[in-house]
Amino acid sequence: MKLSFSFLFLLLLLAISVAVSALDVRHRVELPKQKLPSVMNKNNPTMALPDFTPSLENLLSFNYYLYTCPGVEAIIYDKVKEWFKKDYTIAASLIRLHFHDCAVRGCDASILLDHKGSERTASVSKSLRGFEVINDIKAAIEKKCPKTVSCADILTAAARDATLMLGGPFWSVPYGRKDGRVSIAKEAQTVPTGREKVTDLVEFFQSKGLNILDLVVLSGAHTIGRSTCESVQYRLYNLNGTRRPDPSINPKYLNYLRRKCRWASEYVDLDGSTPRTFDTVYYKNLQNKMGLLSTDQMLYSDSRTSPLVNVLAIQPEVFNTQFAVSMVKLGNIIDLDNDDGEIRVNCNRVNK
């Protein structure tokens, strides 16, 4: 099959973006964790410059726990593996839980706080799972390194290890996140639910420092995992009050979904072809009008995102590489307006 010049050029641009993004991430997180000497002194007052950068104390580092809690990654990996063996669906749930955490107030484990009016109690969060996994990991780490490892770091690493369990790519996780003390249900309602327009998604991702490529690639996490039938029933019977199904759904897939989703409480796989495999079939499904959520399918109908869908559908190596890069970017979202945070002893509540 011959590929057009424009298609090959798009592939080249995507490959360059992957390389540049990887370099950008590496340079941003590998800065040494130490204070810089002051440039101003009595003998040379003209050297004083305004400081527009955040304190290096707040930057993430791959060696953050090297001396304070060596072996922390092994503890997290072993625990995730233990839970995965009991229930393979927990892996996708951990990835989703991580996204919901970082999407509100940055990656600060605010989604884990369990109190009246917290993000966890919001309607958009009611189907989230994996809290017990994080609590189990936290308990194991506290025995070895008390009051040292943040819940935010644990959730970030657990999402990476969950991806590995599913056959996805590995990436190094920089550490040093703090746990937030604020969690508000109303703020969680801003997280996409699957009914938005592509423009809404683009704007939401841009507000978090992520771009269109990150949007399409991270949506590829729907190659695994499930959704409640409640989230898609409107597409099957009454789209926008028309009393007709969504015309963008493949007729055979529509019949399958109607049989599968007779009850709103039922679950259906996000990837109807290879739901247990981390692969690029998700993008091929979009080409075949088999996107479960409307936000999935619209990635193929929108001119800004459809070229990326076409590339990723046939380039698994590009998808795996860029997924790792985009997940690092997601995990590096820090809300600089928050206070310095803390290291929670219990991930479900702030310290006393």
Side-chain angles (χ1 to χ4, degrees):
M1 180 180 69
K2 293 184 178 180
L3 299 178
S4 66
F5 174 80
S6 60
F7 188 75
L8 290 173
F9 183 67
L10 178 61
L11 280 175
L12 177 60
L13 286 179
L14 187 57
I16 293 174
S17 174
V18 169
V20 171
S21 296
L23 285 172
D24 177 60
V25 168
R26 189 178 303 118
H27 285 302
R28 281 192 291 113
V29 301
E30 288 189 344
L31 290 172
K33 193 171 184 299
Q34 60 185 23
K35 291 183 178 180
L36 289 176
S38 173
V39 295
M40 180 178 178
N41 57 65
K42 295 180 180 179
N43 298 325
N44 193 5
T46 60
M47 289 294 291
L49 296 174
D51 183 13
F52 295 113
T53 60
S55 169
L56 289 176
E57 294 293 327
N58 295 326
L59 294 180
L60 306 179
S61 168
F62 293 114
N63 299 320
Y64 194 84
Y65 297 117
L66 181 62
Y67 301 109
T68 57
C69 193
V72 63
E73 287 201 312
I75 296 175
I76 297 173
Y77 178 85
D78 289 343
K79 281 294 184 180
V80 172
K81 185 176 182 180
E82 180 182 318
W83 280 86
F84 180 76
K85 286 183 176 180
K86 292 186 291 185
D87 177 12
Y88 81 93
T89 66
I90 200 65
S93 296
L94 287 171
I95 298 172
R96 182 175 178 232
L97 186 61
H98 175 54
F99 176 80
H100 275 250
D101 179 41
C102 297
V104 182
R105 292 183 170 268
C107 308
D108 66 346
S110 55
I111 189 63
L112 304 180
L113 290 174
D114 191 11
H115 60 73
K116 184 178 180 180
S118 68
E119 295 170 29
R120 187 167 170 174
T121 65
S123 59
V124 72
S125 305
K126 66 181 181 180
S127 60
L128 292 177
R129 300 169 59 232
F131 300 102
E132 68 280 14
V133 179
I134 303 304
N135 290 339
D136 188 28
I137 297 172
K138 178 64 172 176
I141 292 176
E142 282 296 305
K143 290 180 180 179
K144 182 177 181 181
C145 316
K147 302 179 181 179
T148 302
V149 181
S150 69
C151 300
D153 277 345
I154 291 173
L155 179 53
T156 302
R160 186 270 312 275
D161 293 341
T163 304
L164 276 176
M165 301 295 165
L166 294 163
F170 171 87
W171 62 90
S172 296
V173 172
Y175 296 105
R177 299 165 191 80
K178 293 298 192 302
D179 297 324
R181 297 185 178 93
V182 179
S183 184
I184 303 172
K186 185 177 180 180
E187 294 180 354
Q189 294 299 129
T190 63
V191 179
T193 61
R195 297 194 181 196
E196 295 78 11
K197 302 297 183 183
V198 172
T199 296
D200 298 327
L201 295 178
V202 170
E203 291 177 351
F204 179 82
F205 270 65
Q206 287 179 339
S207 72
K208 307 302 175 182
L210 304 173
N211 55 37
I212 290 182
L213 178 58
D214 297 316
L215 165 62
V216 179
V217 169
L218 292 177
S219 295
H222 289 174
T223 182
I224 41 88
R226 304 179 299 172
S227 170
T228 59
C229 286
E230 180 183 9
S231 300
V232 298
Q233 281 185 329
Y234 77 99
R235 296 188 69 204
L236 311 183
Y237 302 100
N238 187 26
L239 180 69
N240 298 328
T242 61
R243 296 185 180 182
R244 295 180 180 180
D246 188 336
S248 68
I249 304 178
N250 182 302
K252 291 184 178 179
Y253 187 49
L254 175 63
N255 291 333
Y256 165 78
L257 291 177
R258 283 179 166 176
R259 293 195 305 270
K260 186 73 175 178
C261 286
R262 295 178 179 178
W263 303 98
S265 58
E266 294 290 330
Y267 285 88
V268 60
D269 292 321
L270 288 162
D271 180 345
S273 301
T274 58
R276 295 195 181 193
T277 307
F278 193 94
D279 54 26
T280 57
V281 173
Y282 161 81
Y283 297 106
K284 295 179 180 179
N285 288 341
L286 301 188
Q287 293 174 325
N288 294 322
K289 297 185 176 182
M290 292 174 59
L292 181 65
L293 304 178
S294 63
T295 46
D296 288 328
Q297 192 55 55
M298 283 190 291
L299 293 178
Y300 188 60
S301 60
D302 192 284
S303 61
R304 294 166 292 181
T305 53
S306 59
L308 295 172
V309 171
N310 288 330
V311 170
L312 295 171
I314 61 171
Q315 293 289 333
E317 297 84 3
V318 173
F319 170 62
N320 284 334
T321 301
Q322 184 60 43
F323 187 82
V325 171
S326 295
M327 284 295 284
V328 171
K329 291 177 66 177
L330 174 68
N332 286 357
I333 299 175
I334 305 295
D335 189 344
L336 297 179
D337 291 332
N338 284 346
D339 57 27
D340 292 335
E342 63 183 5
I343 304 297
R344 285 184 218 143
V345 176
N346 184 321
C347 291
N348 297 329
R349 55 178 179 267
V350 298
N351 297 335
K352 295 181 180 179

